[in-house]
Amino acid sequence: MKHLLHNPAYKMACDQFDATAEFLNIPETMRERVKAPKRMVTVSLPVRLDSGEVKVFEGHRVQHHLTLGPTKGGLRYHQSVELGEVAALAMWMSWKCALADLPYGGAKGGVTIDPRQHSIGELERVTRRYTSEMIPFIGPQTDVMAPDMGTNEQTMAWMMDTYSHQIGHAVPSIVTGKPVSIGGSLGRKEATGRGVAFLANRAVDMLKLPNDSRVIVQGFGNVGSYAAAGMAKFGARVIGVSDVSGGIFNAKGLDLQALQDHVALNRSIKGFPEGDYISNEELLIQPCEVLIPAAMDRVITAENASKIQCRILAEGANGPTTIEADAILKQRPEIFVIPDILCNSGGVIVSYFEWVQDLQSFFWAETEIFDKLYRILGHTLDKVLKQARKHNIDHRTAALSIGIQKVVDGKTIRGLFP
Ligand code: GLU
């Protein structure tokens, strides 16, 4: 898929894959088979705006591999969405699901739209049109979507409704991350952020860092806000957070509840009075024990990787660290990296629980969900650390190598059709 390589995220995902394939010694012919996305669907979405005017949006869905089960992954609404980026995110979903031993291939969807510029009605029409265009390609045993950046429970409810109308009865298992009232799972909304906090806190214990460790979170959306709250629950002190409007810093620790209330009211952390304004770039390089990038990809770069001053880099976002930054981090063994495909996998793990509950129409208690989630995350972290120690490799290569090897093994044993 050389035509996608102009996209920096896709190039990054391919470079990561190539380096890991080299480490794993994967045969050349198998490399292309495992790397290339299986299906890429691009649709145009004509949607009537509130003004009466019709605007055509572009939507994508990339299903990376279908070897181990249905494909799984979020749907992103962002103005920078393009096919290459969606393909990169789909690939990362594949390794993430395989690493956690979920019976899925990776997928990702996206619509090129700035959701903040549109009314609820417009977003509903975009979502319903996108779902309807995708009906031939999705299904509970084919491809299951979930929220990602710019989408939420409401988006999933519209998708489920649109799909169910087409089929003729309610099909909750068509998406995960739905409201609990229509077949969503308890804990799904918090799962990614709480998973990040669980793993970061494990690392705090392993490195024998203080319980009231200082935490900085970039991004205060669904992942960042629950990660911050989760860290605070473990006794840590959240000293800085940010969103697109910039950051807020308070060395004494931020009052997260007050910040949540402020964000609920203003849809942004901008103007929160109990701290100093700080830019996103400055925030990332402040001294702290735990740094959690939980927003866009490629924010830890060649420019700032040597300047970050954390002991633990817990990657809540997908692809936050560039290849160049990774090379610098490899020279900084004092930083314990929890790579994205492990660190933020709590979301898709509980999505898996949601899908299983929907298929069985049998729902679990929240304690059961978090017990199972933490067991899988703890076990996966141990697996990654063991692989890293055994081969003397960095945590990212260790995590990727486990995920990629699983997909290679699946393709090898299934054989080639026809
Ligand atoms: N969008 C989330 C991710 O990037 C969740 C995907 C899912 O739950 O299917 O991992």
Side-chain angles (χ1 to χ4, degrees), residues 72-74 93 96 108 144 146-148 176 188 318 344 347-348 351:
K72 186 83 195 79
M93 282 308 299
K96 192 188 303 190
K108 194 68 105 187
V144 181
D148 196 83
T176 60
R188 172 60 187 87
N318 290 311
N344 67 36
V348 73
S351 274

Side-chain angles (χ1 to χ4, degrees), residues 47-50 57 75 77-78 111 113-131 150-152 154-155 158-159 267:
V47 173
R48 198 172 301 282
L49 303 180
D50 296 342
F57 296 91
L75 169 65
Y77 287 179
H78 194 271
V111 177
I113 183 174
D114 180 353
R116 288 164 310 166
Q117 304 300 325
H118 292 274
S119 68
I120 293 281
E122 289 174 350
L123 291 173
E124 175 170 358
R125 293 194 288 279
V126 168
T127 304
R128 289 190 182 279
R129 186 65 196 239
Y130 175 85
T131 310
T151 56
N152 55 28
Q154 176 63 77
T155 322
W158 291 325
M159 293 190 86
R267 292 178 73 192

